Amino acid sequence: MRALIDPEYVAEVENSFKVLEEDLYKMKKDTDTADFVLKTLTGTKVFPVHKAVLSNRSNVFRDMFAINMAEVATGEATIEDLDEDTLEELIHFLYTGGLSGSQYDIISLCNAANKYELPSLMNLVRLNMMSAELDVNQLLSLQRTRPVLC
């Protein structure tokens, strides 16, 4: 048995998801309502974020906020193993579910996807890698993280 779905209904559902995506992107840009800050060890940028978004997208962030680690008390966390570009890409993904199209280190983003338990980010990176030009060192690094990529 087959059911016919009204194309108008499909368009409205797709529009609802588009509006949600746009609203989350606006939220990412809204530093006034941010309640936490991420930064890197060596960088100068700070990234205002919303704990609700991070904790709902990543169990690692959820656990960090739930057990009241020292970072929660100070309102900021230093991500020691990511550079600013990779952290920015990770945050973009957490808010939008997609990649920004900006430059990022593939290996570093794969490691971040693994660390923060984000298999959908890993899948996006894997799809993006199919069209990327990698040098020999990057290929060797990917070979070491292969169990994560498969």
Side-chain angles (χ1 to χ4, degrees), residues 5 10 22 29-30 33 39 47 53 63 86 92-93 99 107 111 113 127 136 143:
I5 299 175
V10 172
E22 289 169 358
K29 298 285 189 191
D30 185 2
T33 61
K39 58 185 182 177
F47 300 93
V53 173
D63 291 345
T86 304
H92 181 86
F93 171 79
L99 298 174
I107 306 304
N111 289 332
L127 289 171
V136 173
Q143 184 62 31

Side-chain angles (χ1 to χ4, degrees), residues 4-17:
L4 290 175
I5 299 175
D6 184 358
E8 190 175 318
Y9 172 79
V10 172
E12 190 58 40
V13 169
E14 288 175 351
N15 185 53
S16 293
F17 284 115

Side-chain angles (χ1 to χ4, degrees), residues 5-148:
I5 299 175
D6 184 358
E8 190 175 318
Y9 172 79
V10 172
E12 190 58 40
V13 169
E14 288 175 351
N15 185 53
S16 293
F17 284 115
K18 181 81 173 148
V19 169
L20 176 62
E21 181 183 358
E22 289 169 358
D23 288 345
L24 285 169
Y25 185 75
K26 283 186 232 172
M27 184 180 185
K28 176 182 172 271
K29 298 285 189 191
D30 185 2
T31 59
D32 291 337
T33 61
D35 55 358
F36 200 74
V37 172
L38 295 176
K39 58 185 182 177
T40 63
L41 191 61
T42 58
T44 57
K45 285 186 187 177
V46 294
F47 300 93
V49 294
H50 300 84
K51 292 189 291 189
V53 173
L54 273 60
S55 63
N56 280 290
R57 299 282 286 147
S58 166
N59 287 332
V60 174
F61 281 116
R62 178 190 304 275
D63 291 345
M64 181 178 87
F65 297 134
I67 63 172
N68 286 323
M69 293 177 69
E71 293 90 347
V72 176
T74 63
E76 68 179 44
T78 300
I79 310 298
E80 297 180 1
D81 53 351
L82 296 181
D83 60 69
E84 285 182 342
D85 291 339
T86 304
L87 180 56
E88 192 164 21
E89 191 67 33
L90 174 66
I91 292 168
H92 181 86
F93 171 79
L94 291 170
Y95 278 86
T96 67
L99 298 174
S100 70
S102 299
Q103 285 292 103
Y104 60 86
D105 180 83
I106 290 174
I107 306 304
S108 195
L109 195 57
C110 286
N111 289 332
N114 185 45
K115 176 181 178 180
Y116 294 102
E117 299 175 1
L118 300 165
S120 55
L121 174 56
M122 187 64 75
N123 289 337
L124 283 176
V125 172
R126 183 179 21 206
L127 289 171
N128 202 35
M129 283 182 350
M130 291 180 187
S131 63
E133 292 183 25
L134 304 175
D135 65 32
V136 173
N137 290 330
Q138 288 175 311
L139 288 172
L140 290 172
S141 293
L142 284 173
Q143 184 62 31
R144 283 180 284 210
T145 61
R146 183 175 179 166
V148 173

